[in-house]
Amino acid sequence: KDETAKQNAIKIVKALNGLVGVTGTKGYIARYRAPMDSVPFRAYGGKNWCEGNEKCFMVNEGDFSGDFWIGDTSKDQYTGWFLGMTVAYDLIDDEETKDMIRNVVSTVVSVLIENKWKIKDNLGHINLGAGSRPPIHFQIAWSLSAYHMTGNELFKKEVEKKTAWWRRVFVILT
């Protein structure tokens, strides 16, 4: 129970949470986020590059003012985000951090369910970098994570719906 490790983990959770907040789009996770005065922003080419790139967005107001972010987030990046949040939820003994994780994971999964598991970007387009929709095993894993954290019946029902066919096959095979 190293306090430094705990604080570093909380910092990472805040960064993962910021990947959702920076987009300004409920439940959409950015591929990347950093301050506009950072080395990565300058390395990409700065303001001119970002303005000419349909996947780059500069934030000039609100909580993330001064940041830039890149969209076209893949389903694999969503999976990494969920893995990070789920592991952090189970390992970090800090109720404020757990609340943050519960809220953002619940929001992301709820939006995905509302959108029939299609990842829609900040412009409302289906994110082609993520494919049409995440495969069923991702949908089950993400719903299970959300249910584990929240106890929300919506997520339990989604898991039951997604696993119904597999349960029938298992019964037939046994």
Side-chain angles (χ1 to χ4, degrees), residues 108-137:
V108 170
V109 176
S110 294
V111 167
L112 286 167
I113 291 170
E114 288 170 21
N115 292 335
K116 299 184 182 356
W117 289 96
K118 293 180 181 174
I119 296 173
K120 291 188 180 180
D121 66 17
N122 56 310
L123 303 174
H125 302 126
I126 295 171
N127 191 334
L128 298 177
S132 176
R133 59 176 54 103
I136 194 161
H137 58 281

Side-chain angles (χ1 to χ4, degrees), residues 71-134:
D72 197 27
T73 313
S74 72
K75 59 188 170 246
D76 291 338
Q77 288 167 313
Y78 266 65
T79 296
W81 183 90
F82 275 104
L83 175 63
M85 289 301 220
T86 303
V87 169
Y89 182 83
D90 286 340
L91 295 181
I92 297 174
D93 183 23
D94 181 83
E95 200 53 42
E96 183 178 333
T97 302
K98 286 181 178 285
D99 284 343
M100 179 191 311
I101 295 169
R102 263 192 298 271
N103 290 335
V104 73
V105 167
S106 179
T107 298
V108 170
V109 176
S110 294
V111 167
L112 286 167
I113 291 170
E114 288 170 21
N115 292 335
K116 299 184 182 356
W117 289 96
K118 293 180 181 174
I119 296 173
K120 291 188 180 180
D121 66 17
N122 56 310
L123 303 174
H125 302 126
I126 295 171
N127 191 334
L128 298 177
S132 176
R133 59 176 54 103

Side-chain angles (χ1 to χ4, degrees), residues 18-25 28-38 40-41 44 46-61 64-73 120-125 127:
L19 289 173
V20 178
V22 74
T23 69
T25 302
Y28 182 57
I29 303 169
R31 174 182 289 268
Y32 181 80
R33 167 188 161 229
M36 284 190 268
D37 63 358
S38 65
F41 188 68
Y44 276 120
K47 184 178 179 181
N48 290 335
W49 170 82
C50 192
E51 287 175 343
N53 186 322
E54 64 186 24
K55 298 174 187 172
C56 183
F57 302 90
M58 294 180 285
V59 182
N60 296 311
E61 56 187 39
F64 297 94
S65 182
D67 284 357
F68 82 103
W69 63 277
I70 299 173
D72 197 27
T73 313
K120 291 188 180 180
D121 66 17
N122 56 310
L123 303 174
H125 302 126
N127 191 334

